[in-house]
Amino acid sequence: MTKLSVNINKIATLRNSRGGNTPNVVQFAKDVQRFGAEGVTIHPRPDERHIRYQDAYDLKPVVYTEYNIEGNPIPKFMDMVLELQPTQVTLVPDSIDTLTSNAGWDTIKNKAFLIEVITEFKKKGIRTSIFVDPDLAQIEGAKATGTDRIELYTEAFAHQYSLGNKQAILPYTKCAELANNLGLGVNAGHDLSLDNIQYFKQNMPGLLEVSIGHALVSESLYLGIENVVNMYKNKLK
């Protein structure tokens, strides 16, 4: 069964909009794990507009499933990850002013840099994943960096699926097949939701993990977080 990792950035956004500590991101992480999530994901950005670097440290003692920290490997981010040693680090090529992740790595152009970064993380036993677009050449490029996994950027699929174009899954299926053949683990994330997750899962061979935040939190406003976590788990079977 594919693991569900809940991205809790949106909970931090809500907290930061009012100040104080409500909702409490640490308690929310405890709760989603108690409700059945197999992981917790955070994506701290340099301006700390949602998850703060301190949150990453506060969450470490309470995440007993898989702890996945996403981000651009700038020196501050790397220092934090090397100190915390989460289960997984997902490398995302965000610029400083990016609203949300909007592209995968060019693993060919950035090969030397990614090798250097991944080598440092793997020395500490941290599983590494690279955020990539559904492009076969980029999957092959990822293999050359020494990464353990890739995370497929799924916005294009989600958008086309909402328009009724189920053929949009095909590039993702082909990339998953190639990654499996190359010995790379396959994760996925961005704009996956209760509407599209089951179809995506059914057409993705070897899908190990999905990271879902915005849609999951939004859906929970109507359905409740415990219900939504379990709805995702049922669709990921």
Side-chain angles (χ1 to χ4, degrees), residues 3-9 24-34 36-43 51 54-70 84-89 127 209:
K3 290 184 177 180
L4 170 66
S5 186
V6 176
N7 185 317
I8 63 174
N9 276 24
N24 186 296
V25 296
V26 172
Q27 185 61 49
F28 192 84
K30 291 179 181 178
D31 289 339
V32 293
Q33 291 174 102
R34 179 165 55 86
E38 293 99 348
V40 173
T41 292
I42 60 170
H43 188 149
I51 284 290
Q54 184 58 49
D55 292 327
Y57 288 89
D58 294 342
L59 286 161
K60 172 67 174 177
V62 305
V63 179
Y64 55 85
T65 55
E66 293 202 350
Y67 193 16
N68 175 42
I69 303 181
E70 301 179 342
L84 288 175
Q85 298 184 38
T87 316
Q88 177 175 269
V89 58
R127 188 173 73 219
E209 174 187 297

Side-chain angles (χ1 to χ4, degrees), residues 8-19 25 43-53 55 76 92 94-102 190:
I8 63 174
N9 276 24
K10 280 296 181 294
I11 302 304
T13 301
L14 184 58
R15 174 200 62 189
N16 296 352
S17 70
R18 187 66 181 265
V25 296
H43 188 149
R45 289 184 165 88
D47 62 7
E48 299 187 299
R49 64 182 179 268
H50 35 62
I51 284 290
R52 301 167 182 153
Y53 276 72
D55 292 327
K76 181 179 179 182
V92 183
D94 285 339
S95 61
I96 292 175
D97 58 352
T98 298
L99 179 62
T100 186
S101 303
N102 56 18
H190 206 94

